[in-house]
Amino acid sequence: MTATTPVGTPIPADAPEPAPGATPPRTPLIARAAAELVGTAALVAVVVGSGIQATKLTQDVALQLLANSTATVFGLGVLIALLGPVSGAHFNPVVTLAEWWTARRGGAGVTAREVAVHVPSQIVGAIAGAILADAMFGEPLVKWSTHDRSAGNLLLGEVVATAGLILLIFGLARTDRLRFAPVAVASYIGAAYWFTSSTSFANPAVTIGRAFTDTFAGIAPASVPGFIGMQLVGAVVGLALVAVIFLRGKTDKTEQAQPAA
């Protein structure tokens, strides 16, 4: 479900903020698809490029992860602030699918047609971003990662990371605080780099893109299906948590309005 404001009609200042990703109908679908492609490409270029740069500057793995996570926090925050008004700045198929699901349940969100456009755009963008990062640092443009990430504890980390991300985004939407999304989402991802065992991919498109680079941020192709499967599980868990924690109360019909004193 999307808003139905006619093209060119001003949106009132007190209009409710849309659900994550819900965009004004005057934004053409091609523009939203382009925003998702470019935004996801830029995000992966930041993740992969900062990882390559970090390994060139230090051999200390902790410092490498600190550099990688810091760049990702700033890059993601900027991208959400810039492209959020156009496409909702999902850059993530699980966010798009979760929003589609809430729209089916009567909430605001994307349609099935929009999902069919956004998700491929995100995947193509992620692959392009990884290739761009490799090109900038003189690495082979496409070299499958050899970084195995198939251990069970890492898969659990992906469930936790993705569930937390969905809880955050849709919790902000339920409480009408999406204006804080650029800072809140970027901060969460930065924290999840450190408190999850998987370093918080939490994104199927990014996971696919990172398989194309055999660098610090890479993931072996054999590990990709497991990560994506756990990310989908995490999305379901996150939506369930949103439904329970942000349960909407019913107005007591017997309650009478009191006159002002």
Side-chain angles (χ1 to χ4, degrees), residues 124-162:
V124 171
I127 295 170
I131 293 173
L132 175 61
D134 282 340
M136 287 192 293
F137 287 92
E139 300 288 338
L141 296 186
V142 175
K143 185 177 181 182
W144 300 116
S145 176
T146 56
H147 194 161
D148 179 72
R149 299 178 188 264
S150 59
N153 63 301
L154 302 183
L155 297 178
L156 176 59
E158 278 303 284
V159 174
V160 173
T162 310

Coordinates of all heavy atoms in Angstrom, one line a residue, residues 124-162:
V124 N 21.8 -6.2 -8.1 CA 22.7 -5.7 -9.1 C 23.6 -4.6 -8.5 O 24.8 -4.6 -8.8 CB 21.9 -5.2 -10.3 CG1 22.8 -4.5 -11.3 CG2 21.2 -6.4 -11.0
G125 N 23.0 -3.8 -7.7 CA 23.8 -2.7 -7.1 C 24.8 -3.2 -6.2 O 26.0 -2.7 -6.2
A126 N 24.5 -4.2 -5.4 CA 25.5 -4.8 -4.5 C 26.7 -5.4 -5.3 O 27.9 -5.2 -4.9 CB 24.9 -5.9 -3.6
I127 N 26.4 -6.1 -6.4 CA 27.5 -6.7 -7.2 C 28.3 -5.6 -7.8 O 29.6 -5.7 -7.8 CB 26.9 -7.6 -8.2 CG1 26.2 -8.8 -7.6 CG2 28.0 -8.1 -9.2 CD1 25.4 -9.7 -8.5
A128 N 27.7 -4.6 -8.3 CA 28.4 -3.5 -8.9 C 29.3 -2.8 -7.9 O 30.4 -2.4 -8.2 CB 27.4 -2.5 -9.6
G129 N 28.8 -2.6 -6.7 CA 29.5 -1.9 -5.7 C 30.8 -2.7 -5.3 O 31.9 -2.1 -5.1
A130 N 30.7 -4.0 -5.2 CA 31.9 -4.8 -4.9 C 32.9 -4.7 -6.0 O 34.1 -4.6 -5.8 CB 31.5 -6.3 -4.7
I131 N 32.5 -4.8 -7.3 CA 33.4 -4.7 -8.4 C 34.0 -3.3 -8.4 O 35.2 -3.2 -8.7 CB 32.6 -5.0 -9.7 CG1 32.2 -6.4 -9.7 CG2 33.5 -4.7 -10.9 CD1 31.3 -6.8 -10.9
L132 N 33.2 -2.3 -8.2 CA 33.8 -0.9 -8.1 C 34.9 -0.8 -7.1 O 35.9 -0.2 -7.3 CB 32.7 0.1 -7.9 CG 33.1 1.6 -7.7 CD1 33.7 2.1 -9.0 CD2 31.8 2.4 -7.4
A133 N 34.6 -1.3 -5.9 CA 35.6 -1.2 -4.8 C 36.9 -1.9 -5.2 O 38.0 -1.4 -5.0 CB 35.0 -1.8 -3.5
D134 N 36.8 -3.1 -5.8 CA 37.9 -3.8 -6.2 C 38.7 -3.0 -7.3 O 39.9 -3.0 -7.3 CB 37.5 -5.2 -6.8 CG 37.2 -6.2 -5.7 OD1 37.7 -6.0 -4.6 OD2 36.5 -7.2 -6.1
A135 N 38.0 -2.4 -8.2 CA 38.6 -1.6 -9.3 C 39.4 -0.4 -8.7 O 40.5 -0.1 -9.1 CB 37.6 -1.1 -10.3
M136 N 38.8 0.2 -7.7 CA 39.5 1.4 -7.1 C 40.8 1.1 -6.4 O 41.7 1.9 -6.4 CB 38.5 2.1 -6.1 CG 37.4 2.8 -6.7 SD 36.5 3.9 -5.5 CE 35.8 2.6 -4.4
F137 N 40.9 -0.2 -5.9 CA 42.1 -0.6 -5.2 C 43.0 -1.5 -6.0 O 43.9 -2.1 -5.4 CB 41.7 -1.2 -3.8 CG 41.2 -0.2 -2.8 CD1 39.9 0.1 -2.7 CD2 42.1 0.5 -2.0 CE1 39.4 1.1 -1.8 CE2 41.7 1.5 -1.1 CZ 40.3 1.7 -1.0
G138 N 42.7 -1.6 -7.3 CA 43.6 -2.4 -8.1 C 43.5 -3.9 -7.9 O 44.4 -4.7 -8.2
E139 N 42.4 -4.4 -7.3 CA 42.1 -5.8 -7.1 C 41.5 -6.4 -8.3 O 40.9 -5.7 -9.1 CB 41.2 -6.0 -5.9 CG 41.7 -5.4 -4.6 CD 42.9 -6.3 -4.0 OE1 43.0 -7.4 -4.4 OE2 43.7 -5.7 -3.2
P140 N 41.5 -7.7 -8.5 CA 40.8 -8.3 -9.6 C 39.3 -7.9 -9.5 O 38.7 -7.9 -8.4 CB 41.0 -9.8 -9.3 CG 42.3 -9.9 -8.5 CD 42.3 -8.7 -7.7
L141 N 38.7 -7.6 -10.6 CA 37.4 -7.1 -10.6 C 36.4 -8.1 -10.0 O 35.5 -7.7 -9.3 CB 36.9 -6.7 -12.0 CG 37.7 -5.5 -12.6 CD1 37.1 -5.1 -14.0 CD2 37.8 -4.3 -11.7
V142 N 36.6 -9.3 -10.4 CA 35.7 -10.4 -9.8 C 36.6 -11.5 -9.4 O 37.3 -12.1 -10.3 CB 34.7 -10.9 -10.8 CG1 33.9 -12.1 -10.2 CG2 33.7 -9.8 -11.2
K143 N 36.7 -11.8 -8.1 CA 37.4 -12.9 -7.6 C 36.6 -13.5 -6.5 O 36.5 -12.8 -5.4 CB 38.8 -12.5 -7.2 CG 39.7 -13.7 -6.7 CD 41.1 -13.3 -6.3 CE 41.9 -14.5 -5.9 NZ 43.3 -14.1 -5.5
W144 N 36.1 -14.7 -6.6 CA 35.2 -15.3 -5.6 C 35.9 -15.3 -4.3 O 37.1 -15.7 -4.2 CB 34.8 -16.7 -6.0 CG 34.0 -16.7 -7.3 CD1 34.3 -17.4 -8.4 CD2 32.7 -16.1 -7.6 NE1 33.4 -17.2 -9.4 CE2 32.4 -16.4 -8.9 CE3 31.9 -15.3 -6.8 CZ2 31.2 -15.9 -9.5 CZ3 30.7 -14.8 -7.4 CH2 30.4 -15.1 -8.7
S145 N 35.2 -14.9 -3.2 CA 35.8 -14.9 -1.9 C 36.1 -16.3 -1.4 O 35.4 -17.3 -1.7 CB 34.9 -14.2 -0.9 OG 35.4 -14.3 0.4
T146 N 37.2 -16.5 -0.6 CA 37.5 -17.7 0.0 C 37.3 -17.7 1.5 O 37.7 -18.6 2.2 CB 39.0 -18.1 -0.3 OG1 39.8 -17.0 0.2 CG2 39.2 -18.3 -1.8
H147 N 36.6 -16.6 1.9 CA 36.4 -16.4 3.4 C 35.1 -17.2 3.8 O 34.0 -16.8 3.7 CB 36.2 -14.9 3.7 CG 36.2 -14.6 5.1 ND1 36.5 -13.3 5.6 CD2 36.1 -15.3 6.2 CE1 36.5 -13.3 6.9 NE2 36.3 -14.5 7.3
D148 N 35.4 -18.4 4.4 CA 34.3 -19.3 4.8 C 33.6 -18.7 6.0 O 34.3 -18.3 7.0 CB 34.8 -20.7 5.1 CG 33.7 -21.6 5.6 OD1 32.9 -22.0 4.7 OD2 33.7 -21.9 6.8
R149 N 32.3 -18.6 6.0 CA 31.5 -18.1 7.1 C 30.3 -19.0 7.3 O 29.2 -18.6 7.5 CB 31.0 -16.7 6.8 CG 32.1 -15.6 6.6 CD 31.5 -14.3 6.3 NE 32.5 -13.3 5.8 CZ 33.1 -12.4 6.6 NH1 32.8 -12.4 7.9 NH2 33.9 -11.5 6.2
S150 N 30.6 -20.3 7.4 CA 29.5 -21.3 7.5 C 29.2 -21.8 8.9 O 28.3 -22.7 9.1 CB 29.7 -22.5 6.5 OG 31.0 -23.1 6.8
A151 N 30.0 -21.4 9.8 CA 29.9 -22.0 11.2 C 28.5 -21.6 11.8 O 28.0 -20.5 11.5 CB 31.0 -21.4 12.1
G152 N 28.0 -22.5 12.6 CA 26.7 -22.3 13.2 C 26.5 -21.0 14.0 O 25.5 -20.4 14.0
N153 N 27.6 -20.7 14.7 CA 27.5 -19.5 15.6 C 27.4 -18.2 14.7 O 26.8 -17.3 15.1 CB 28.7 -19.4 16.5 CG 30.0 -19.3 15.7 OD1 30.4 -20.1 14.9 ND2 30.8 -18.2 16.0
L154 N 28.0 -18.3 13.5 CA 27.9 -17.1 12.6 C 26.5 -17.0 12.1 O 26.0 -15.9 11.9 CB 28.9 -17.2 11.5 CG 30.4 -17.3 11.9 CD1 31.3 -17.4 10.6 CD2 30.8 -16.2 12.8
L155 N 25.9 -18.1 11.8 CA 24.5 -18.1 11.3 C 23.6 -17.6 12.3 O 22.6 -16.8 12.0 CB 24.1 -19.5 10.8 CG 24.9 -20.1 9.7 CD1 24.5 -21.6 9.4 CD2 24.8 -19.3 8.4
L156 N 23.8 -18.0 13.6 CA 23.0 -17.4 14.7 C 23.2 -15.9 14.7 O 22.2 -15.2 15.0 CB 23.4 -18.1 16.0 CG 22.7 -17.5 17.2 CD1 21.2 -17.7 17.1 CD2 23.2 -18.2 18.5
G157 N 24.4 -15.5 14.5 CA 24.7 -14.0 14.6 C 23.9 -13.3 13.5 O 23.4 -12.2 13.7
E158 N 23.7 -13.9 12.3 CA 22.9 -13.3 11.3 C 21.4 -13.2 11.6 O 20.7 -12.2 11.3 CB 23.1 -14.0 10.0 CG 24.3 -13.7 9.2 CD 24.4 -12.2 8.9 OE1 23.6 -11.7 8.0 OE2 25.1 -11.5 9.6
V159 N 20.9 -14.2 12.3 CA 19.5 -14.1 12.8 C 19.3 -13.0 13.7 O 18.4 -12.2 13.6 CB 19.1 -15.4 13.5 CG1 17.7 -15.3 14.1 CG2 19.1 -16.6 12.5
V160 N 20.2 -12.8 14.7 CA 20.2 -11.8 15.7 C 20.3 -10.4 15.0 O 19.5 -9.5 15.3 CB 21.3 -11.9 16.8 CG1 21.3 -10.7 17.7 CG2 21.0 -13.2 17.6
A161 N 21.3 -10.3 14.1 CA 21.6 -9.0 13.5 C 20.4 -8.5 12.7 O 19.9 -7.4 12.7 CB 22.8 -9.1 12.6
T162 N 19.8 -9.5 11.9 CA 18.7 -9.1 11.0 C 17.4 -8.8 11.8 O 16.6 -7.9 11.5 CB 18.4 -10.2 10.0 OG1 19.6 -10.6 9.3 CG2 17.4 -9.7 8.9

